[in-house]
Amino acid sequence: MLSMLTNPTILGQIVVNGMSLSSIYILVALGFTLLFGIMRVVNFAHGEFAMLGGFAMYYLYAVFSLPWVAAILLAPLAVAIPALFLEWLVFRWFYQKMFQSMIGLLGLSIVMIYSALLTWDAFERNIPAAFDGILRFAGVILPIDRLVTIGVSALALGAFYFLMVHTRIGLAMRAAAQDVEIAGTQGIDTRKIYRVAFFVAILLAALAGALYGQVYAVSPFMGERPLFVAFIVVILGGMGSIPGAALGGLILGFTESFLGTFYGGSVASYASFGAVILLLIFRPWGLLGKPE
Amino acid sequence: MIKISRRNALAGIAAAAAIATVSSTALAAETLRIGAIGSLSGGGTAWGLAIKRGAELAIDEVNQAGGLSVGGKNYNLELLMYDDQYTGQGGKTAAERLVFQDKVKYIVGPIGSNPVLSAMEVTTPQKVLLMSNGYTPKILDNEHKASYNFRFTLTNLEYAPSMMKWVKENLKVTKVGILVPNDAIGQSVAPPLVKLYQDNGIQTVVDYYERGSKEFSPLITRLMAAGIDGFDINFNAPGEAGLMVKQARQIGYDKLVYQMGGPSVPEIIEVAGQHSEGFISYEMFDFDAPSAQPFVKAYAAKYGKGIINSQTPAFYNATKILIEAIRRADTVDDTTKIRDAVEKLAGYDAGVYGPVRWTGKAIYGVDHQLALPFYVVEVKNGKPVTRAVLSVD
């Protein structure tokens, strides 16, 4: 244990593992927290949009053999654009109705899982690695596919930050998140804002799914774990808080990596949930959230 | 619970209704249902499909040859399968539906200690035959003396002594890392394995992960830090096992990775890609053997030329043995007679493994364990190559 703490190679490996875990966690959680922050919708079907992103990536990259860059750009769009129909059909009825949204979207999640199961099958599909090699840097091993995941996540996070902070639509979204009625009276078209926020959230979820599917595997049930993670991350960071999602993702990824390596898998899970319970008792609005 | 088989069940009911109408005018075959339980979702899916497809191939053979004649009647066989989601609760629910609702008398599957033990709680008191595969000794060594259970694949207690001898002589490992799920399966199978390694003078480092987790890099880093020179991915479902091989290589673990249990070589090659090179595994079946070719052909004709999971022939074998026992017992209802017929089936050859030999008395107190040959394979240029053929002592 002590020898592990002082071994720079192992510490380096823990940091790399933690970064790669965090980057996917953050992507999944961002869209989830965006939907909650603006529309007060708890999207239980979030993992299923990630699952569809995984399948889109599977078809574009593994089946149709598109170049990887094209596939990773197109896969989220291939999910988010048709998802606008679901927004019209299902989601819009649940805006600003938190409890109804939980039950309604849990239903949607089940419908999506079993539609996927009927369309494909339950087999886990493997998306061939686009970047299979490893780099060695000062004794630390850097798997290239993980580095790419970290890079894509960082780019997406950067683009998302730019959208929210430096564009008019981002400003309008933040205004709507603060108080939807006042935003409306100021001339903001909330229906349009909702649709844009939904589109961006699904885009991020599907991107996370595409990356997740390539690093792990694609199956109709693959969305369960990302949803589970999104919950912890978002509760840690604060429901609706975007910097909170980033911070929560980093904390969870690094906790899993450090505790998993030092104390084993059970302790890592125990600590993550223990932290969530403590947080809910003493600071229910999360690390960077705002008390209601 | 997935109602994968609802369509089949509806088709069955429709067919039965049609037959009932027809049989008033002409003598037609009755339908005899064989139940099945297996994972049709999650990491154990490949095994559930192995049960389904193995059983279907055996049933097709009988139906195409004109059905099964028992007690002066002719039966058309039909498979009715439910998903256990590779969980205890799933196994129990599936067994309850098959036994109480569908009135099935014999079940092939499930695979996995949790679903098997839970299904047994339902099947044994109802005298329903369970032809399963799970690693825990309790499947055969229990208070009912496994009165209605048979096991159709080897467990570590059967193959591990010979396999361990081979590993020790050929791989020369000194300290082995083991990752198992943190549930009843992991906690019941890890200790005997650790003891076996220790008895052979090999150290072990064991760690547990939460089932459903897909990220093993932190735990593998932990094993590497403990100085392992062998990584045994022993009891893990195919999806997880493949990711373990891939992630171990990705974080720079360059020593031996092998699997003394399982097995799921084709899936591991599929998931781990180039990282599966040099992976060594226990294997239940040699698909390249001449005796396996009729089975391989029948499989390809029905399901295409994809991966054949090596549990598939085991459940083909189990279903054929069950059908032969029903034929010899000359009853479709008296499961005690059928059970006795299964026990007396020594010498019967279902075609893929050679003559039936029952074993297990010394370990479990009952000869309800099928003895089978087994193999050691190594992945070379993306393909499993047989390195050794071993047998149960």
Side-chain angles (χ1 to χ4, degrees), chain B residues 47 135 159 176-181 189 193 197 205 207 209 216 220 223 228 230-248 253 256-265 267-269 272 276 279-282:
Chain B
W47 289 343
Y135 268 53
Y159 65 73
V176 173
I178 299 166
L179 279 188
V180 285
V189 294
L193 181 68
Y197 271 113
V205 187
D207 217 324
Y209 66 89
F216 307 105
I220 300 169
L223 296 178
I228 59 166
F231 178 24
D232 181 0
I233 55 172
N234 215 303
F235 303 105
N236 294 292
E240 280 76 27
L243 287 173
M244 282 182 193
V245 175
K246 178 173 160 182
Q247 291 169 11
Y253 174 75
L256 272 171
V257 185
Y258 62 97
Q259 188 167 26
M260 288 237 309
S264 45
V265 183
E267 291 87 351
I268 286 173
I269 294 173
S276 65
F279 171 69
I280 291 169
S281 179
Y282 156 79

Side-chain angles (χ1 to χ4, degrees), chain A residues 4 10 13-14 17 20-21 114 117 122-124 126 129 132-134 136 141-143 145-146 212 214-217 221 225 256-257 260-266 269, chain B residues 2 4 40-43 45-46 49 53 85 182 207-210 212-215 217-219 221-222 225 239-240 243 246-247 249-252 270-272 274-275:
Chain A
M4 270 161 53
I10 288 173
Q13 204 63 57
I14 290 171
N17 293 344
S20 106
L21 278 169
Y114 290 99
L117 192 68
F123 259 126
E124 291 200 320
N126 180 41
D132 219 2
I134 49 176
R136 277 169 204 272
I141 312 280
L142 307 167
D145 68 341
R146 301 300 177 96
Y212 188 94
Q214 193 159 28
V215 174
Y216 305 112
F221 298 92
R225 186 84 188 172
E256 262 191 49
S257 180
T261 306
F262 286 130
Y263 298 104
S266 309
S269 293
Chain B
I2 302 175
I4 281 288
L40 295 170
S41 56
T45 306
L49 286 174
R53 293 176 173 182
Q85 301 172 320
N182 198 3
D207 217 324
Y208 296 89
Y209 66 89
E210 297 309 306
S213 173
K214 297 277 179 202
E215 182 56 69
S217 305
L219 295 180
T221 306
R222 180 175 167 81
E240 280 76 27
L243 287 173
K246 178 173 160 182
Q247 291 169 11
R249 294 303 185 213
Q250 278 187 329
I251 58 168
E270 165 96 12
V271 172
Q274 66 167 44
H275 300 298

Side-chain angles (χ1 to χ4, degrees), chain B residues 24-74:
Chain B
S24 57
T25 52
L27 202 69
E30 284 186 40
T31 298
L32 180 63
R33 278 171 166 182
I34 293 175
I37 303 174
S39 309
L40 295 170
S41 56
T45 306
W47 289 343
L49 286 174
I51 297 172
K52 183 170 185 284
R53 293 176 173 182
E56 281 175 351
L57 287 173
I59 286 173
D60 284 357
E61 259 179 44
V62 174
N63 288 343
Q64 279 158 16
L68 177 67
S69 290
V70 177
K73 280 187 190 166
N74 198 39

Side-chain angles (χ1 to χ4, degrees), chain A residues 18 57 61 109 158 257 275:
Chain A
M57 188 66 186
Y61 184 70
S109 153
S257 180

Side-chain angles (χ1 to χ4, degrees), chain B residues 3-151:
Chain B
K3 291 156 194 156
I4 281 288
S5 50
R6 170 164 284 180
R7 200 171 45 187
N8 292 348
L10 283 175
I13 292 164
I19 287 164
T21 324
V22 174
S23 63
S24 57
T25 52
L27 202 69
E30 284 186 40
T31 298
L32 180 63
R33 278 171 166 182
I34 293 175
I37 303 174
S39 309
L40 295 170
S41 56
T45 306
W47 289 343
L49 286 174
I51 297 172
K52 183 170 185 284
R53 293 176 173 182
E56 281 175 351
L57 287 173
I59 286 173
D60 284 357
E61 259 179 44
V62 174
N63 288 343
Q64 279 158 16
L68 177 67
S69 290
V70 177
K73 280 187 190 166
N74 198 39
Y75 292 93
N76 200 40
L77 302 180
E78 186 182 86
L79 190 73
L80 181 60
M81 180 162 187
Y82 294 119
D83 183 10
D84 63 17
Q85 301 172 320
Y86 204 49
T87 63
Q89 185 55 46
K92 193 171 180 194
T93 312
E96 280 169 347
R97 290 187 67 179
L98 286 171
V99 173
F100 298 118
Q101 193 177 314
D102 304 313
K103 311 282 183 208
V104 155
K105 297 278 184 195
Y106 3 83
I107 296 171
V108 287
I111 294 175
S113 303
N114 279 346
V116 175
L117 288 178
S118 305
M120 263 169 54
E121 288 174 23
V122 180
T123 55
T124 303
Q126 296 299 320
K127 300 187 179 177
V128 167
L129 283 167
L130 193 68
M131 323 299 250
S132 68
N133 169 25
Y135 268 53
T136 171
K138 286 181 198 142
I139 292 172
L140 296 182
D141 187 4
N142 52 46
E143 73 269 30
H144 303 290
K145 293 261 163 232
S147 46
Y148 292 88
N149 299 340
F150 290 87
R151 189 158 55 196

